[in-house]
Amino acid sequence: MFTPEMLESLKKVEANRSANIALEPRRMTAEEKDALLAQFHPDYKTESFEALKVGPNKGDKVPHELAALLQGNSRVLDLDLDLNAPDYDVDVLVIGGGGAGASAAIEADEAGAKVMIATKLRLGDANTMMAEGGIQAADKPNDSPAIHYLDAMGGGHYANVPELLRKLVMDAPGAIQWLNQLGVEFDKAPDGTMITTHGGGTSRKRMHAAADYSGAEIMRTLRDEVLNRGIPVVDFTSAIELILDDEGKAAGAVLLNMETGEHLIARAKTVIIATGGAGRLHYQGFPTSNHYGATADGLILGYRAGAQLLYADTLQYHPTGAAYPEQIFGALVTEKVRSMGAKLINKDGQAFMHPLETRDVAAASIIRECKERGEGVSTGEGEGVWLDTPMIDQIHGEGTLEKRLPGMLRMYSKYDIDIRKVPIVVYPTLHYQNGGLKITPDGMTAVSGLFVAGEAVGGIHGRNRLMGNSLLDVIVFGRNAGQHAAAHAKTVKLGAPTLQHVEKFAKELADAGIDTHTASPQLLPDYRNHKK
């Protein structure tokens, strides 16, 4: 399947494999990393961002694609809705059916609250399901939450909100125990000890995994628990606007049945936004590893209701997205491949960076190798660099890759590429929304009764996330939001439901001279006019 140019390059990769395995590329200095990121990382392309003209973050820069939605027209502006005749009436409304939403719903139910999940696709159709490499937790004798904290703080460029990061690492061992007790089939040694590995930017082996199906296995378990508890799930139904009461407290949401077009009213004493990321907005034209519904809905809904954003200008471009063949362009190639020893190799067969640099540094290094140094591998459809997967069996013994990375092996085998024998071509793919809605440690935004969990939260990871901390935060902050939302629902007294904030926001747009035809949230990506 490879082009003649790729085959010529492949000969050099194979000839240098043994030497590259023995080679230990040095890690970059802090100064070198800063210079690299400033020149090559997409977050530093000033022309790709604009300042918001309205809302709580007026003056802050965000990607153009996100700005258009944050400053778009609400989908309920011209609707005649009876907010006093709800179709659903619950204590806790969870918007989103991924790992964070499911974790929140389980804990709210455990606390005795009447809870419901509304999700625009199906329960489990989420980025959680697509996570592969594992989940971090400092639960081994040579590790500690303090070391985990330092690793994540450094990886986040010291911009992490300390209180949120502290909660993440302190609750991590308990999160693993909770998942294990629910039935997640983590990789374990014969004696029952959990197998852990390194990730980029980690100083200890604390990555717990279920082969390379970690997110799918966690989501399977959470989904079963939600269904076994009888928690109502309204699927194929998007939240298109939050409802507030006349004092500005969260009081529910307007829902849209994606199949029938019917509008429904969900009244709730508390609301949890767990809508995930934004990869399907394809910032700067990048491909994405995200699921089909990742269009930043929660950020738009929360922002229009008055919740602040934090670090909305930072995205994570996973360094190893599939760059060949075209059918899987942008699909995630888990960092676990590199944690097991596979190195990034340029077209001349040379390892050009340490394989476990943080994701932003690794992504920028690959972009530099291709765009500045001319060392990228041309596929005829694009370019990338080699990820030398055959190194894994050569380092650890035959059969290791098949046992530890069955998902990757299967994905490529569909295209007659045996990654045990030949390397793969990778290039950065839009992977994670580092920024999101600002919360306090209990998970609440500045809007009383509005909680957030998972990828829609900003601040936990600073300006760059380490591998394995996303599956961790959906569990830790999902459970956290569910517990606190349930407790809040017991004491809150709601006033009359209103959509006055929508009218107020529309006036702000008009006063700022913004005349737009963009309806927001976007809900689903539109590929009808897509051009290669």
Side-chain angles (χ1 to χ4, degrees), residues 41 90 469:
H41 195 277
V90 296
N469 279 347

Side-chain angles (χ1 to χ4, degrees), residues 244-451:
L244 305 181
D245 76 354
D246 52 11
E247 295 180 349
K249 300 189 295 291
V254 180
L255 308 178
L256 170 66
N257 184 306
M258 301 287 283
E259 296 178 299
T260 67
E262 180 184 10
H263 291 94
L264 304 162
I265 304 300
R267 181 163 62 194
K269 296 176 181 176
T270 57
V271 177
I272 299 174
I273 288 176
T275 52
R280 289 289 169 170
L281 298 184
H282 294 287
Y283 298 126
Q284 299 185 40
F286 270 80
T288 186
S289 61
N290 284 191
H291 80 103
Y292 193 61
T295 50
D297 293 3
L299 272 59
I300 283 87
L301 298 181
Y303 191 71
R304 200 146 53 213
Q308 288 181 288
L309 297 171
L310 187 62
Y311 305 147
D313 60 325
T314 66
L315 291 305
Q316 182 165 92
Y317 296 82
H318 196 293
T320 54
Y324 186 85
E326 185 179 21
Q327 295 94 320
I328 55 172
F329 194 45
L332 181 64
V333 175
T334 173
E335 190 169 307
K336 189 174 181 179
V337 176
R338 287 180 288 134
S339 74
M340 294 180 67
K343 290 178 180 172
L344 293 161
I345 311 294
N346 64 24
K347 74 175 183 181
D348 287 326
Q350 302 299 318
F352 60 90
M353 59 164 284
H354 193 285
L356 291 179
E357 293 284 9
T358 56
R359 287 179 172 177
D360 54 350
V361 171
S365 295
I366 293 170
I367 293 171
R368 177 176 65 182
E369 202 72 10
C370 295
K371 303 301 184 185
E372 182 183 75
R373 296 178 175 174
E375 288 290 343
V377 179
S378 175
T379 66
E381 301 156 351
E383 65 179 341
V385 298
W386 296 108
L387 180 57
D388 200 3
T389 48
M391 284 185 172
I392 293 174
D393 279 358
Q394 193 163 329
I395 293 169
H396 301 287
E398 188 174 346
T400 301
L401 189 150
E402 183 175 6
K403 180 180 179 181
R404 301 287 297 279
L405 297 164
M408 294 303 307
L409 184 64
R410 184 180 67 173
M411 181 171 76
Y412 277 94
S413 67
K414 293 179 180 178
Y415 306 98
D416 297 322
I417 297 174
D418 187 342
I419 66 174
R420 296 168 296 186
K421 298 177 181 178
V422 296
I424 55 180
V425 185
V426 295
Y427 193 79
T429 184
L430 186 54
H431 183 60
Y432 190 82
Q433 178 179 271
N434 289 325
L437 294 167
K438 185 177 180 180
I439 62 169
T440 50
D442 65 357
M444 195 187 296
T445 68
V447 178
S448 180
L450 180 62
F451 295 79

Side-chain angles (χ1 to χ4, degrees), residues 32-284:
E32 287 172 330
K33 291 178 182 180
D34 288 343
L36 174 71
L37 293 171
Q39 189 172 358
F40 294 102
H41 195 277
D43 278 358
Y44 293 76
K45 285 191 172 183
T46 56
E47 67 274 14
S48 297
F49 299 84
E50 65 183 86
L52 292 171
K53 297 178 180 178
V54 298
N57 290 82
K58 181 179 178 179
D60 290 353
K61 67 173 185 176
V62 299
H64 296 308
E65 299 88 345
L66 181 58
L69 293 172
L70 290 171
Q71 299 177 150
N73 295 318
S74 171
R75 292 177 176 271
V76 307
L77 268 177
D78 298 320
L79 298 180
D80 183 16
L81 301 169
D82 186 355
L83 303 184
N84 291 302
D87 300 277
Y88 307 100
D89 195 349
V90 296
D91 297 325
V92 180
L93 171 64
V94 179
I95 302 173
S103 297
I106 291 167
E107 288 292 355
D109 181 75
E110 182 69 16
K114 183 180 180 183
V115 60
M116 182 184 90
I117 295 174
T119 179
K120 68 180 171 186
L121 297 176
R122 297 168 299 177
L123 180 62
D125 278 342
N127 284 345
T128 302
M129 183 72 184
M130 305 172 79
E132 298 171 348
I135 175 172
Q136 285 203 50
D139 57 3
K140 291 292 182 71
N142 70 331
D143 202 359
S144 72
I147 298 172
H148 187 179
Y149 181 97
L150 292 173
D151 286 347
M153 184 64 78
H157 300 285
Y158 303 96
N160 316 58
V161 175
E163 298 82 4
L164 300 184
L165 181 56
R166 182 181 188 279
K167 182 167 187 61
L168 181 78
V169 302
M170 292 298 290
D171 288 6
I176 296 295
Q177 291 178 359
W178 185 69
L179 290 171
N180 190 50
Q181 290 166 0
L182 285 179
V184 171
E185 296 288 348
F186 287 111
D187 295 339
K188 296 177 182 176
D191 66 357
T193 303
M194 289 197 188
I195 297 170
T196 52
T197 58
H198 271 301
T202 63
S203 60
R204 299 290 189 276
K205 292 182 178 181
R206 69 173 71 96
M207 206 68 57
H208 302 66
D212 58 351
Y213 298 113
S214 301
E217 172 61 12
I218 288 171
M219 194 67 243
R220 175 196 69 80
T221 306
L222 294 175
R223 179 179 179 274
D224 285 352
E225 184 68 13
V226 167
L227 297 178
N228 289 339
R229 285 174 172 266
I231 296 171
V233 178
V234 182
D235 56 11
F236 297 109
T237 301
S238 292
I240 59 171
E241 198 60 70
L242 295 178
I243 298 170
L244 305 181
D245 76 354
D246 52 11
E247 295 180 349
K249 300 189 295 291
V254 180
L255 308 178
L256 170 66
N257 184 306
M258 301 287 283
E259 296 178 299
T260 67
E262 180 184 10
H263 291 94
L264 304 162
I265 304 300
R267 181 163 62 194
K269 296 176 181 176
T270 57
V271 177
I272 299 174
I273 288 176
T275 52
R280 289 289 169 170
L281 298 184
H282 294 287
Y283 298 126
Q284 299 185 40

